[in-house]
């Protein structure tokens, strides 16, 4: 299929590759501004406390210290949804919460000053569990949230943001069911997405109402918009996007970090760089949401689901950055996986005295799906149905509808994924490996092998708006104006490829502006799964617009109808008589550019798709689990760049992905409220040395998206994985599990090999 | 990082002299793989006034064998031990243990002496100071052990009374099975202590002005078989959840001698002496191995969350005997 294109679908070098591997790429850590100070944060030792008093006098006297700020010194700026969290408050709500901010000439001085601040706390009781937090006598974290329940509503997604899945009549649905199952499952290991680069920013006030930041956020305009509202709707924020050392959603916007730097810059009158340490990234930056579901599912013997009801409890940590948006998308995504006429799924977002949870790839849907699928499979077991067949019958097909995040009913205009499922299952050898529910594929000594499968998809390939300009220069070059940040997926290079393909220009003649909210038109950012369809559509439209303007000029000059004109390699020629040709320069002169404009409006009609197959080996004597093999299946419409796509698919491992089923876990000590093992050794993450074999099936069925018929796969690659692995482990050892991650202690306990002494205090 | 004085020692005598001069306020930097993290996280209430680089001391990274046994300089890197022909041939349990530590990059700089002297991994003990303040405990002078009431999934199941942090060293477990001695040099000269006496619940026997200079291993009897098995949650860069090192003397299927050491289940390396006694003189089969394995963990008194470690330790002892 890719033969029809010059660049699209071909492996081409990433424009930024050489700079990254030779160390020339500049990250926040590499950037300095004149007179720049360094910020540090004093963090709370208590999970919940009122600050009685803070004495900063000694810290302020230390030579080289230029600002020390407490809750008494900062403006009443509030973030979160609804706006409820002050930059510094008279109350702390988790171990690691910000108590004071320091700016000094060096990091060492700032750290030393931090030691000199004396704080008197009134310690309050803390709560970490969602159910406990909702009890009437539970400690309340925010005055505005009775019962610690965050009110629904997410302005970004409009006035009707989806808050629940309520469709049909569940009572009737359960009456029609042959099988009714009920259960609870917790995906509450709060894995850290763990981008290699800890969060960092530089903030500098250029005037009373003008703030410039150098940010590693995924979206410069998200920073700009969010800060506009937080900073009192009068500050014009210019966001320079710098290379992002990984994000996995967590740096969608780091508003609190940015505002911390901004208040220090305001107080000191100088640019301030604030970079969290790795330990702060572990203990005080974005973790995945906690997700617990209590659900009831009704099903007919043939696998037709008749009713789904349940409570979905979402643990957002000490404040809510915008979890309602994740709940909305999760509620949309679950409808794509199960075809059911009767729903009553009610989410609640709850605050607890934990580190913040927020945006991590999978954005609500992975959290819900991982907790929901193990309960759904109870019904599949009772009906003795093969899960692959079930998913094939249930995954959303063209013509099927769903309520999406905006609360509107959308109908799929995408492709049927049956073929992708069938080919994925075939490549994995599913039929040979699947022996039935709770039955191992093979047994050898103490080792048991099991397989599992999971599925996920979202309609967010077309989420939010994008704008782009494309400028053609007489020299035969093109520049794309787009505020797309590069956080590792190669998106910037892929967009340049699209421009090159439309203009038939060699890749090296296409360049792109740096992400910058001043120089570029509006761009929601490289987030979700929107790069290929949403951003790509705006870029293609801008390129086609610029090309048309160029050809209009040429048509006048050549006195030919525009329909007869073509351009390639910076030359315009007449189609019937290609010997009649003019270089762009001859058409434009030296003093003209052609500027095209493109805009994309949200379109939720094309759900994407990802299926993950997993094969595990469990040692029933030690409880050790080895992930032997991962298979995947998707349909991307048209591959833009095969290597970037493969990396995206391989990236289903790591970073709060598949391994959150077996070892990725942020461990909270409930006696002290502290994160345990918050370092790169004790927090378990998979290294390259133990990547299992992976096999990806990628189909290219044309989508009605844009001229390249592509939608990509985006953020969803890890999302089906954890449920696939928990199914595989259950099948290997013959016991069901409902509490991620499945570590050796849980396996040995389930097999009755450990006399389960109940945890005293214990961990999350 | 907070500042400190830095010395490049040229000789062991010089390093010891600087240690003495700073009266307990100086630390040695061998490979630095453990030390630098400790300095950055500032989990100890004290901070060294001086750091003494001992990589600049030449001639203490040797591996030498004679009829009596093996002598290894404390500065020999784990990588050099893991690939040493002589160690792989007759002391393979040590080569395996050294090769099981961390990653190739870390093994290239981490030393045997440093691996033995590294600080424990207890996550209460190591809690970084800048994220809410360090946690004090007996190991730092005084304070309760948070692990007893907290998350103790990786803590000791045997012999943890005042402190439940486990010995993190893989090589120490191999050396315990090999009956090694640790040579210690101080201002008054050198002394040698058996490996099991080197470790104490709250640290080791080194005085503030002493350093480990050599590891001495008696030559094991010919025809023995050695094994090191380490369980971790992931393969690379992970400390043992449970480990076992074994040296078995087997003739015609009968066990003629056994030295089995267990790691990461107690504050120090321990020998499974009762299991050793149980198996010696008996044919090695599934039944005798199981009986010995039962004995090995009979003394375990797990905390609230680490009972599974006894099950794993039992499995490892069994596998080591049958290997």
């Amino acid at each position: 299929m890719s033969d029809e294109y010059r660049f699209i679908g071909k492996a081409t070098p990433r424009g930024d590759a050489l700079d990254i591997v030779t160390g020339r790429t500049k990250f926040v850590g590499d950037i300095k501004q004149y007179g720049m100070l360094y910020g540090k944060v004093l963090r709370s030792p208590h999970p919940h406390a009122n600050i009685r008093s803070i004495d900063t006098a000694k810290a302020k006297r230390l030579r080289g210290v230029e600002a020390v700020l407490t809750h008494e010194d900062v403006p009443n700026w509030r973030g979160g949804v609804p706006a409820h969290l002050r930059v510094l408050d008279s109350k702390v709500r988790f171990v690691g919460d910000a108590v004071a901010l320091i700016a000094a000439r060096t990091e060492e001085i700032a750290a030393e000053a931090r030691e000199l601040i004396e704080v008197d706390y009134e310690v309050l009781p803390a709560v970490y569990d969602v159910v406990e937090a909702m009890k009437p006598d539970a400690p309340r974290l925010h005055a505005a949230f009775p019962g610690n329940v965050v009110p629904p509503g997410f302005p970004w997604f409009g006035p009707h943001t989806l808050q629940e899945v309520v469709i049909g009549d569940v009572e009737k649905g359960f009456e029609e069911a042959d099988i009714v199952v009920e259960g609870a499952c917790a995906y509450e290991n709060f894995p850290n997405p763990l981008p290699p680069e800890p969060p960092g920013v530089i903030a500098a006030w250029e005037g009373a109402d003008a703030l410039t930041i150098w940010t590693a956020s995924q979206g410069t305009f998200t920073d700009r918009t969010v800060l506009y509202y937080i900073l009192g709707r009068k500050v014009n924020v210019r966001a320079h996007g710098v290379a992002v050392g990984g994000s996995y959603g967590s740096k969608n916007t780091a508003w609190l970090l940015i505002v911390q730097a901004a208040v220090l810059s305001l107080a000191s009158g100088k640019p301030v760089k604030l970079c969290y340490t790795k330990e702060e990234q572990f203990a005080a930056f974005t973790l995945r949401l906690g997700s617990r579901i209590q659900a009831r599912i009704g099903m007919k013997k043939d696998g037709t689901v008749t009713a789904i009801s349940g409570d979905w409890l979402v643990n957002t940590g000490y404040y809510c950055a915008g979890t309602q948006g994740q709940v909305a998308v999760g509620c949309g995504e679950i409808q794509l996986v199960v075809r059911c006429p009767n729903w009553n799924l009610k989410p609640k977002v709850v605050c607890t005295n934990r580190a913040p949870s927020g945006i991590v790839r999978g954005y609500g849907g992975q959290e819900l799906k991982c907790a929901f699928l193990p309960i759904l499979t109870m019904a599949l077991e009772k009906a003795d149905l093969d899960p692959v067949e079930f998913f094939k019958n249930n995954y959303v097909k063209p013509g099927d509808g769903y309520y999406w995040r905006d609360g509107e009913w959308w109908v799929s205009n995408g492709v049927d994924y049956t073929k992708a499922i069938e080919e994925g299952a075939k490549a994995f050898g599913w039929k040979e490996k699947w022996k039935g529910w709770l039955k191992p594929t093979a047994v050898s000594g103490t080792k048991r092998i099991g397989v599992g499968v999971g599925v996920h998809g979202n309609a967010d390939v077309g989420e939010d708006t994008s704008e782009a300009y494309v400028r053609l220069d007489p020299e035969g070059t093109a520049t794309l104006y787009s505020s797309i940040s590069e956080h590792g997926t190669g998106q910037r290079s892929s967009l340049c490829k699209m421009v090159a393909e439309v203009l038939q220009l060699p890749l090296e003649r296409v360049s792109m502006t740096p992400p910058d909210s001043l120089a570029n038109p509006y761009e929601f950012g490289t987030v979700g799964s929107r790069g290929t369809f949403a951003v790509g559509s705006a870029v293609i439209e801008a390129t086609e617009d610029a090309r048309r303007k160029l050809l209009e000029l040429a048509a006048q000059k050549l006195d030919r109808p525009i329909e007869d004109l073509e351009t390639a390699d910076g030359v315009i020629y007449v189609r019937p008589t290609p010997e009649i040709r003019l270089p762009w320069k001859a058409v434009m002169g030296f003093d003209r550019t052609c500027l095209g404009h493109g805009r994309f409006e949200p379109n939720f009609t094309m759900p994407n798709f990802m299926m993950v197959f997993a094969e595990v080996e469990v040692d029933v004597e030690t409880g050790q689990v080895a992930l032997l093999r991962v298979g995947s299946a998707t349909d991307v419409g048209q591959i833009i760049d095969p290597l970037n796509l493969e990396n995206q698919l391989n990236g289903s491992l790591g970073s709060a992905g598949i391994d959150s089923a077996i070892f990725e876990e942020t461990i909270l000590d409930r006696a002290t409220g502290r994160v345990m093992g918050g370092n790169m050794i004790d927090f378990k993450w998979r290294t390259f040395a133990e990547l299992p074999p992976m096999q990806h099936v990628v189909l290219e069925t044309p989508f009605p998206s844009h001229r390249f018929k592509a939608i990509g796969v985006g953020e969803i690659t890890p999302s089906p994985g954890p449920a696939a692995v928990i199914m595989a482990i259950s099948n290997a050892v013959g016991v069901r599990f409902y509490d991620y991650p499945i570590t050796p202690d849980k396996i040995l306990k389930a097999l009755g090999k450990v006399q389960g002494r109940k945890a005293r205090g214990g961990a999350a | 990082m907070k500042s400190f004085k830095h010395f490049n020692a040229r000789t062991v005598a010089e390093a010891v002299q600087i240690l003495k001069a700073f009266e307990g306020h100086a630390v040695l930097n061998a490979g630095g793989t453990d030390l630098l993290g400790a300095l950055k996280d500032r989990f100890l209430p004290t901070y060294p006034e001086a750091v003494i680089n001992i990589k600049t001391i030449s001639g203490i990274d040797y591996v030498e064998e004679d009829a009596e046994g093996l002598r290894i300089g404390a500065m020999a890197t784990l990588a050099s031990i893991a690939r040493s022909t002589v160690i792989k041939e007759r002391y393979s349990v040590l080569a395996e243990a050294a090769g099981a530590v961390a990653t190739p990059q870390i093994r290239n700089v981490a030393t045997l002496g440093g691996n033995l002297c590294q600080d424990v991994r207890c996550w209460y003990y190591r809690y970084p100071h800048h994220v809410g303040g360090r946690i004090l405990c007996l190991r730092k002078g005084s304070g309760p052990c948070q692990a007893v009431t907290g998350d103790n999934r990786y803590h000791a199941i045997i012999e943890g009374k005042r402190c439940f942090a486990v010995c993190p060293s893989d090589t120490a477990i191999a050396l315990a099975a090999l009956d090694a001695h640790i040579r210690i040099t101080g201002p008054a000269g050198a002394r040698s202590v058996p490996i099991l006496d080197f470790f104490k619940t709250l640290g080791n026997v080194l005085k503030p002005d002493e350093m480990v200079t050599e590891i001495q291993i008696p030559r094991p009897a010919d025809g023995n078989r050695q094994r090191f098995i380490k369980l971790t949650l992931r393969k690379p860069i992970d400390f043992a959840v449970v480990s076992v090192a074994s040296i078995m003397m087997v003739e015609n299927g009968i066990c003629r001698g056994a030295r089995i050491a267990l790691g990461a289940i107690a504050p120090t390396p321990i020998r499974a002496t009762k299991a050793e006694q149980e198996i010696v003189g008996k044919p090695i089969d599934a039944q005798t191995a199981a009986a010995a394995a039962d004995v090995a963990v009979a003394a375990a008194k797990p905390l609230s969350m680490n009972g599974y470690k006894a099950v794993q330790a039992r499995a490892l002892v069994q596998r080591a005997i049958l290997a």
Side-chain angles (χ1 to χ4, degrees), chain B residues 122-140:
Chain B
C122 168
W123 45 31
Y124 296 96
Y125 179 76
R126 280 201 177 242
Y127 189 85
H129 182 55
H130 69 276
V131 195
R134 64 181 67 87
I135 295 173
L136 295 179
C137 66
L138 192 59
R139 193 174 268 274
K140 297 177 188 177

Side-chain angles (χ1 to χ4, degrees), chain A residues 614-616 625-630 653 658-659 662 686 692 725:
Chain A
E615 182 169 355
V616 303
V625 178
L627 183 58
L628 295 182
R629 207 157 62 88
V630 174
L653 287 162
I658 292 180
D659 289 325
I662 49 177
R686 185 179 296 268
V725 171

Side-chain angles (χ1 to χ4, degrees), chain A residues 643-663:
Chain A
L643 288 177
N644 286 341
L645 176 65
E646 191 183 340
N647 281 337
Q648 187 84 346
L649 292 166
N650 290 342
S652 58
L653 287 162
S655 297
I658 292 180
D659 289 325
S660 58
I662 49 177
F663 50 65

Side-chain angles (χ1 to χ4, degrees), chain B residues 59-317:
Chain B
I60 53 167
D61 58 353
Y62 50 85
V63 173
E64 288 172 5
E65 198 194 24
D66 58 23
E68 307 249 298
L70 189 70
R71 296 184 305 118
I72 305 173
M75 288 299 289
T77 63
L78 297 179
S80 70
I81 289 166
R83 65 169 177 258
S84 155
T85 317
V86 54
I87 296 177
K88 280 199 287 194
E89 198 174 303
R90 247 188 298 278
Y91 312 86
S92 64
V93 65
L94 178 61
E96 282 179 50
V101 175
T103 64
Q105 294 94 326
I106 290 175
R107 293 195 293 272
N108 281 340
V109 290
T111 66
L112 182 56
N115 191 256
L116 296 174
C117 296
Q118 67 183 304
D119 217 334
V120 293
R121 301 299 307 177
C122 168
W123 45 31
Y124 296 96
Y125 179 76
R126 280 201 177 242
Y127 189 85
H129 182 55
H130 69 276
V131 195
R134 64 181 67 87
I135 295 173
L136 295 179
C137 66
L138 192 59
R139 193 174 268 274
K140 297 177 188 177
S142 68
C145 176
Q146 299 281 353
V148 175
T149 51
D151 194 307
N152 45 45
R153 68 183 72 183
Y154 296 130
H155 286 80
I157 55 170
I158 290 179
E159 290 180 6
K161 286 194 189 86
R162 296 183 299 160
C163 171
F164 288 84
V166 298
C167 173
S169 169
D170 289 326
T171 59
I173 311 309
L175 292 172
L178 286 163
D179 260 345
H181 278 61
I182 310 296
R183 188 173 165 86
I184 295 167
T185 304
R191 62 190 173 120
S192 227
V193 298
I195 177 92
L196 292 181
D197 296 342
F198 177 75
F199 290 98
K200 297 195 296 187
T201 297
L202 297 179
N204 58 42
V205 298
L206 285 178
K207 295 184 186 124
D209 53 7
E210 288 183 326
M211 64 183 275
V212 171
T213 46
E214 187 180 90
I215 290 82
Q216 304 157 333
I217 307 173
R219 186 169 171 149
D222 288 343
N224 71 81
R225 60 184 199 214
Q226 305 184 13
R227 190 83 201 272
F228 179 79
I229 314 172
K230 172 179 172 180
L231 289 187
T232 53
L233 211 50
R234 62 171 177 190
K235 286 192 197 89
I237 336 182
D238 214 353
F239 286 88
V241 177
V242 178
S243 68
V244 63
S246 63
I247 301 179
M248 306 286 297
M249 269 64 77
V250 182
E251 281 174 19
N252 303 322
I254 308 293
C255 179
R256 295 296 172 203
R259 293 205 299 263
I260 301 168
L262 285 163
I265 61 166
T268 64
I270 54 169
R271 281 274 293 276
T273 39
K274 284 185 181 155
E276 293 169 2
Q277 288 159 9
E278 174 71 28
I279 194 77
V280 170
K282 293 193 180 141
I284 290 190
D285 57 35
Q287 206 181 338
T288 56
D294 285 339
V295 171
V297 296
K301 287 190 183 127
L303 298 165
S304 56
M305 296 176 71
N306 62 6
Y308 75 100
K309 289 179 67 164
V311 180
Q312 293 186 327
R314 187 194 169 282
L316 291 202
V317 171

Side-chain angles (χ1 to χ4, degrees), chain A residues 397-400 402 411-415 603-607 702-705:
Chain A
K397 291 178 174 54
D400 290 345
Y402 40 84
V411 174
S412 169
N413 185 31
V415 307
N603 173 346
F604 298 119
T605 63
M606 274 170 269
F703 276 79
S705 56

Side-chain angles (χ1 to χ4, degrees), chain A residues 45 114-115 277 279 619 621-622 624 665 667 669 674 676 680-682 684-685 687 690 753 757 760 763, chain B residues 41 121 123-124 127 129-133 149-151 153 232 234-236 238 302 304 311-312 319:
Chain A
R114 180 169 56 188
E115 295 289 300
T277 62
E279 291 73 24
D619 186 327
E621 224 172 46
T622 63
Q624 303 278 114
E665 175 183 19
I667 295 167
D669 173 50
R674 293 176 182 231
M676 296 286 99
M680 295 298 284
I681 293 174
D682 295 315
K684 307 307 178 199
W685 49 283
T687 72
E690 54 177 341
K753 300 197 174 185
R757 204 197 293 189
R760 281 178 281 166
Chain B
D41 286 348
R121 301 299 307 177
W123 45 31
Y124 296 96
Y127 189 85
H129 182 55
H130 69 276
V131 195
T149 51
D151 194 307
R153 68 183 72 183
T232 53
R234 62 171 177 190
K235 286 192 197 89
D238 214 353
S304 56
V311 180
Q312 293 186 327
R319 287 175 190 188

